[in-house]
Amino acid sequence: MKDKVVVITGAGGVLCSTIAKGYAREGAKVALLDLKLESAQVVADEIVKAGGIAKAYAVNCLEKNTMEVAREQIKKDLGACDILVNGAGGNHPKGTTTNEYFNAADVDDESKISFFDLDEKGVDFVFKLNFLATFLTTQVFAKDMIGKGGIIINISSMNAFRPLTKIPAYSGAKASVSNFTQWLAVHFASEGIRVNAIAPGFFVTNQNRALLFDDKGNPTPRTQKILAGTPMRRFGEAEELLGTVMWLSDNDKSGFVTGIVVPIDGGFSAYSGV
Ligand code: NAD
């Protein structure tokens, strides 16, 4: 990783800040991109304090011009992008049903979100944030890889293999990220750009905390169900993504690997529940 320029979106978040620190420890120069500059700046400061090279940039991955501006600045500050991690993503409450299974009484109950109440804007937001953001960010930064090759790592989810209840938009959007990973891997293969994805299982982060724990910090029934469905019986730790990410980023170790989606889920996607 020494002196490689790594661009990471969503780098102020829980998973991608850990990924950013992992790259920095390996000697990479890390560009931390986030909608919230202050979150990315905190991580950049920590990396620099620990002796690494990092800079934070404000971008909106849904507005290409903001990323074009960042790309030019990154080139001046750190160099052209060698590795891109498309980390920005997440769910939205308006794309989430209240109950796991359809209940006719929910349709007329204003306190419940049934399938019929799912908000078009919420669903649109989730598809844009996960699929379109990955697509647009790649359009901007993969240009740096033309002629020299590069690595792209997308962040899918284990719900791309089998959808989770309640979150149809997020499940569908992550399935589209996995599909796009394969498409892009094929498209860029002759250019020496490898494209793979990781599919994390359950990690506690800001976006899912409210689904997993109540106001007092007690596990919700959903958490109990998740842990029962995870053969390793625990949530993942962000650090546990690093081995796979570093392997996929290393041409000596994974040079013939492109177009795969690696589950990192404690066995969740392998377990039938029985
Ligand atoms: P997080 O909410 O902690 O981080 C997401 C970051 O993305 C935030 O810092 C946010 O400001 C940033 N962001 C949001 N919209 C943006 C935009 N338009 N432009 C730029 N930045 C934007 O969540 P996380 O769990 O660390 O998320 C990392 C990735 O992992 C996401 O793609 C998420 O969908 C995926 N994922 C998470 C889990 C999990 O269990 N947490 C599981 C599977 C996949």
Side-chain angles (χ1 to χ4, degrees):
M1 283 322 119
K2 183 97 185 94
D3 292 334
K4 294 280 182 206
V5 176
V6 183
V7 173
I8 307 179
T9 68
V14 179
L15 299 186
C16 289
S17 59
T18 303
I19 292 174
K21 289 178 202 166
Y23 276 116
R25 281 199 297 271
E26 298 289 329
K29 298 186 268 183
V30 188
L32 298 110
L33 278 55
D34 205 290
L35 196 56
K36 296 182 193 148
L37 178 62
E38 60 281 10
S39 313
Q41 191 61 58
V42 169
V43 185
D45 290 346
E46 270 182 58
I47 291 174
V48 171
K49 210 171 160 195
I53 301 170
K55 269 193 167 279
Y57 304 86
V59 299
N60 182 345
C61 293
L62 293 168
E63 291 174 10
K64 230 172 143 180
N65 60 322
T66 67
M67 289 187 290
E68 297 285 8
V69 171
R71 178 181 169 224
E72 287 312 312
Q73 195 56 47
I74 292 166
K75 272 192 188 172
K76 287 182 199 148
D77 294 341
L78 307 173
C81 174
D82 297 300
I83 299 171
L84 169 65
V85 179
N86 281 309
N91 192 23
H92 193 281
K94 289 191 169 169
T96 305
T97 61
T98 306
N99 285 315
E100 295 183 348
Y101 301 102
F102 182 70
N103 177 3
D106 291 353
V107 177
D108 295 320
D109 183 341
E110 287 197 355
S111 68
K112 303 270 168 56
I113 299 174
S114 77
F115 169 72
F116 298 104
D117 303 316
L118 285 171
D119 184 82
E120 194 179 319
K121 289 201 184 82
V123 173
D124 186 51
F125 173 91
V126 175
F127 270 85
K128 281 191 173 135
L129 177 56
N130 292 281
F131 177 76
L132 195 62
T134 298
F135 184 92
L136 296 177
T137 308
T138 304
Q139 278 189 320
V140 173
F141 289 99
K143 267 200 186 145
D144 284 359
M145 301 173 185
I146 304 305
K148 67 166 180 148
I151 310 278
I152 298 172
I153 298 179
N154 294 330
I155 306 209
S156 182
S157 164
M158 119 312 290
N159 70 21
F161 302 113
R162 280 182 304 162
L164 296 180
T165 56
K166 294 187 171 192
I167 51 172
Y170 185 58
S171 298
K174 286 302 192 189
S176 73
V177 170
S178 292
N179 188 281
F180 180 55
T181 301
Q182 293 175 311
W183 185 90
L184 206 58
V186 172
H187 191 67
F188 276 149
S190 58
E191 198 53 46
I193 301 172
R194 293 191 298 113
V195 187
N196 294 291
I198 57 169
F202 288 92
F203 293 71
V204 182
T205 59
N206 298 333
Q207 62 166 299
N208 61 16
R209 203 176 303 277
L211 274 174
L212 302 177
F213 297 97
D214 65 19
D215 296 345
K216 295 187 181 101
N218 299 315
T220 61
R222 195 169 175 83
T223 289
Q224 288 159 14
K225 223 171 161 182
I226 289 164
L227 295 179
T230 304
M232 292 180 80
R233 293 287 186 271
R234 63 174 177 84
F235 289 108
E237 299 290 335
E239 295 277 335
E240 291 175 304
L241 301 176
L242 293 181
T244 307
V245 170
M246 294 308 148
W247 169 65
L248 291 173
S249 303
D250 187 338
N251 280 331
D252 291 338
K253 294 190 174 131
S254 61
F256 201 46
V257 178
T258 196
I260 65 165
V261 180
V262 185
I264 307 172
D265 66 354
F268 186 92
S269 58
Y271 182 43
S272 70
V274 176

